[in-house]
Amino acid sequence: MSEQKLTGAQIVIKALKDQGVDIIFGYPGGAVLPIYDALFQQNDLKHVLVRHEQAAVHAAEGYARSTGKVGCVLVTSGPGATNAVTGLLDALCDSIPLVCLSGQVPTHLIGNDAFQEADTTGITRPCTKHNYLVKDVDNLARTLHEAFYVARSGRPGPVLVDIPKDVQFADGTYVPPAEVKHKTYRPQVKPEMARIEEAIELIANAKRPVFYTGGGVINAGPFAAKLLTQFVKATGFPITSTLMGLGAFPASESQWLGMLGMHGTYEANLAMYECDVMINIGARFDDRVTGKLSAFSPGSKKIHVDIDPSSINKNVAVDIPIVGDCGAVLEDMLRIWKARAKSADKAALKEWWGRIEGWRARNCLNYNRTESVIKPQYALERLREALRGKDHYITTEVGQHQMWAAQFLPFDQPNRWLTSGGLGTMGYGLPAAIGAQLAHPDAIVVDVSGEASFLMNMQEIGTAVQYRAPVKIFILNNQYMGMVRQWQELLHGSRYSQSYSEALPDFVKLAEAWGCVGLRATTVAEVDQVIEKMLTVTDRPCIIDIAVDPKENCFPMIPGGKAHNEILFGPDDSPSDATPEDGMVLV
């Protein structure tokens, strides 16, 4: 075994380089200063100074999601680590590979309520895939390499390594990644062939099939998305996706039904409800997708592909469970489908597509285009047209604007749609956009935002300015916490308790105060002009304030606790009388 003596801080830097890290997002503090000193003495690893530790994790998420690499974060002890907790849980919910390094008080002070001490491993245990407290410098390199392995292997997720300050100063032995193997963690990547063969038979005999895909396909890499596209085309089946899976199958293809779930399309949700074979690849049967569990796709046989065994039969009982990497499973499925010359029941599939086209004709994403006020859907349609053919990434905050973006901004490639799904974290989009922009400096990165969500982490405009990241913050400003207001309107008698965004800043002046470009559209005629001008800004951030209809709600909508066929299409529908007639609540 090759051995090399370095300080703990130097070991951290060398381990990060050996793991292929090129950017680390962080904020310094007393308990982590030795690592910052080591950063100062080298030039290979770039550090990005954020303005808040939560934003450091979101920026690393944006970097990780857009590149497929492991994101990296560096924070200090106590409040530095606790500020990072929201981002860590966000990454855990959405299966994003991250390694967060946190400073800790010296080992002899742990447990003594020292200055800026927190039980970081205890606090973060429920919101990380795994975490470590390193008390011996000779274990530091091995632990760091393990952390990266755990973060990227199996179902990806965040890993935290807590490093006391005396360990950072101490001299220790460095071991390279090749000499480190995790003793016990060996996720199952290859599926059982018996299960694959059973699934292929069920798929081939389906009358009303649908592919239901999720973020697991994205996490499995671009090759998995290509295999998914090939398999779906080979079968001729319809396909839908969760919020997290958008882009794994090209939205421009005719077999694409759009997103499913609470704000998914009518055709996607009805196909899920009426199907006889559901092929779930890389999704976890989230409650925003399933709705009322007892009425979830009641007549279907269900295949579930997931690399995480604990996700199988967790929320929904399935008929054919397949544990394995989505790419490996799709490769085997496609190979067997072709080798055995399988084909769909063409007559049944034609009839099934006929029903789906009838649902599509409902045009569930239609909205009132005759009003003079700017509709948020219109603003996003114009953004979509302006970005067509351009290399771009979309991040979002959380709320109505997020759902409209998912509905109206199509994706033909994976890793281009970056949003907070499982945790629904307001303030995610701006730092995630910065992370994506720094990873792809020549691409257009747009954060679709609401005015309330933007305020959550607006301090990160300073980060974007410092590192000349020309992110575009596209604010759909309805002067409300839009989704909160919508639920209050539908479920709480229009009692808008604390959902009005009072005391808003002038976003154009705010942009100018930071040295950015500020633009505003208050009429329909100004929308295209503002978007065109926004796209010419390439040397600094740009804040775009679009004054949209404050009363517009996001439809279609499946109310909480309702089934897929209990859909609201507009404000005249009510959750209380959602009794479906032929699978549809009429407007």
Side-chain angles (χ1 to χ4, degrees):
M1 177 183 292
S2 58
E3 294 188 359
Q4 185 178 358
K5 287 288 185 179
L6 300 169
T7 67
Q10 291 170 333
I11 287 173
V12 169
I13 301 303
K14 184 164 179 55
L16 295 182
K17 292 179 182 178
D18 284 351
Q19 288 293 338
V21 175
D22 53 3
I23 297 179
I24 185 167
F25 302 87
Y27 200 96
V32 78
L33 284 183
I35 298 175
Y36 272 89
D37 189 53
L39 273 168
F40 185 83
Q41 299 180 56
Q42 57 83 53
N43 295 315
D44 297 327
L45 184 59
K46 180 178 181 178
H47 179 275
V48 174
L49 177 67
V50 297
R51 273 50 178 172
H52 191 283
E53 290 89 350
Q54 177 189 347
V57 186
H58 293 328
E61 286 186 273
Y63 173 91
R65 289 184 176 197
S66 65
T67 62
K69 300 178 182 179
V70 177
C72 199
V73 180
L74 178 59
V75 299
T76 194
S77 65
T82 58
N83 281 348
V85 164
T86 297
L88 291 171
L89 184 55
D90 188 270
L92 182 68
C93 290
D94 288 346
S95 305
I96 307 304
L98 298 178
V99 171
C100 178
L101 309 179
S102 59
Q104 184 54 276
V105 301
T107 52
H108 68 278
L109 291 179
I110 292 176
N112 290 340
D113 295 328
F115 176 67
Q116 291 195 331
E117 180 191 359
D119 179 8
T120 302
T121 53
I123 291 168
T124 61
R125 187 167 291 118
C127 55
T128 55
K129 184 178 177 182
H130 193 57
N131 63 18
Y132 301 85
L133 171 60
V134 182
K135 293 185 176 181
D136 183 344
V137 69
D138 286 328
N139 293 330
L140 182 55
R142 181 175 300 277
T143 301
L144 290 168
H145 296 319
E146 276 195 12
F148 277 87
Y149 169 76
V150 172
R152 68 166 67 97
S153 302
R155 178 180 177 179
V159 177
L160 180 133
V161 183
D162 203 29
I163 312 172
K165 192 169 184 178
D166 57 325
V167 173
Q168 299 171 42
F169 276 122
D171 291 331
T173 301
Y174 181 80
V175 293
E179 297 179 11
V180 176
K181 302 294 181 185
H182 199 284
K183 294 179 181 178
T184 58
Y185 185 52
R186 294 286 186 273
Q188 181 178 332
V189 175
K190 294 292 292 181
E192 296 179 30
M193 288 310 300
R195 294 291 194 187
I196 295 289
E197 292 172 354
E198 187 180 359
I200 289 296
E201 289 302 314
L202 184 60
I203 291 169
N205 290 297
K207 308 298 181 185
R208 302 183 308 279
V210 66
F211 280 94
Y212 154 40
T213 59
V217 180
I218 307 287
N219 289 337
F223 184 57
K226 290 180 181 179
L227 290 169
L228 173 68
T229 301
Q230 292 172 20
F231 190 36
V232 171
K233 288 184 175 181
T235 62
F237 294 174
I239 177 171
T240 180
S241 168
T242 67
L243 179 73
M244 302 308 298
L246 298 178
F249 184 86
S252 58
E253 296 285 348
S254 61
Q255 288 166 257
W256 172 244
L257 303 183
M259 182 180 72
L260 82 157
M262 180 172 281
H263 292 286
T265 65
Y266 182 50
E267 53 267 31
N269 281 315
L270 264 290
M272 287 283 284
Y273 185 79
E274 298 284 353
C275 72
D276 72 333
V277 173
M278 179 187 297
I279 309 145
N280 177 341
I281 302 179
R284 58 188 178 89
F285 290 108
D286 176 72
D287 63 285
R288 289 298 171 104
V289 165
T290 62
K292 186 178 181 181
L293 277 174
S294 61
F296 174 66
S297 192
S300 69
K301 296 283 187 181
K302 299 173 181 68
I303 301 165
H304 188 188
V305 177
D306 205 296
I307 199 165
D308 181 4
S310 70
S311 292
I312 305 286
N313 293 319
K314 182 177 183 179
N315 297 323
V316 171
V318 300
D319 299 278
I320 304 178
I322 302 176
V323 177
D325 174 79
C326 289
V329 172
L330 285 164
E331 188 173 26
D332 285 340
M333 281 185 165
L334 184 60
R335 177 175 53 80
I336 292 177
W337 181 270
K338 290 179 176 179
R340 299 186 180 178
K342 293 290 184 180
S343 62
D345 183 328
K346 293 182 179 179
L349 190 59
K350 183 179 180 180
E351 182 181 345
W352 178 229
W353 270 113
R355 294 180 65 183
I356 291 172
E357 293 303 331
W359 297 328
R360 267 182 173 164
R362 179 66 177 78
N363 193 15
C364 67
L365 297 182
N366 194 27
Y367 61 94
N368 189 343
R369 302 167 188 267
T370 61
E371 297 182 20
S372 58
V373 66
I374 303 172
K375 293 292 186 179
Q377 302 96 318
Y378 174 80
L380 289 168
E381 284 181 333
R382 301 315 300 159
L383 177 64
R384 178 184 69 204
E385 292 307 308
L387 292 175
R388 193 179 298 277
K390 295 180 173 65
D391 182 20
H392 68 277
Y393 296 80
I394 300 291
T395 73
T396 78
E397 307 293 343
V398 170
Q400 286 177 317
H401 61 274
Q402 176 190 30
M403 296 297 104
W404 281 315
Q407 292 172 342
F408 287 90
L409 299 179
F411 296 91
D412 282 349
Q413 300 176 62
N415 304 105
R416 300 294 177 132
W417 166 250
L418 319 175
T419 195
S420 174
L423 193 60
T425 307
M426 294 175 70
Y428 167 88
L430 173 55
I434 293 170
Q437 186 75 81
L438 293 175
H440 307 278
D442 297 326
I444 298 168
V445 180
V446 181
D447 171 30
V448 176
S449 179
E451 79 289 339
S453 278
F454 171 68
L455 295 178
M456 286 280 187
N457 270 321
M458 68 176 183
Q459 76 283 342
E460 297 310 315
I461 289 293
T463 304
V465 169
Q466 179 176 344
Y467 295 95
R468 297 179 176 83
V471 295
K472 286 87 169 103
I473 300 93
F474 195 78
I475 301 174
L476 300 178
N477 187 349
N478 62 8
Q479 302 180 64
Y480 278 95
M481 299 175 202
M483 194 62 82
V484 174
R485 183 196 57 75
Q486 177 167 336
W487 282 55
Q488 287 173 334
E489 183 176 310
L490 294 174
L491 303 173
H492 299 283
S494 296
R495 293 180 291 277
Y496 303 130
S497 178
Q498 304 300 312
S499 56
Y500 181 61
S501 297
E502 296 190 66
L504 288 173
D506 182 322
F507 290 115
V508 172
K509 290 182 178 178
L510 186 69
E512 292 169 350
W514 253 307
C516 306
V517 174
L519 303 169
R520 178 178 290 120
T522 59
T523 66
V524 172
E526 292 173 333
V527 172
D528 281 352
Q529 300 169 22
V530 163
I531 292 174
E532 182 180 357
K533 189 174 293 185
M534 172 193 82
L535 293 177
T536 66
V537 180
T538 59
D539 62 342
R540 68 192 71 184
C542 185
I543 299 176
I544 305 91
D545 185 14
I546 309 289
V548 300
D549 186 352
K551 298 180 180 179
E552 188 72 4
N553 282 337
C554 186
F555 292 104
M557 177 182 177
I558 301 174
K562 298 294 184 178
H564 275 145
N565 63 337
E566 299 179 87
I567 302 173
L568 309 182
F569 289 106
D572 296 329
D573 294 338
S574 168
S576 61
D577 59 14
T579 52
E581 178 183 341
D582 191 28
M584 181 170 70
V585 178
L586 299 176
V587 177

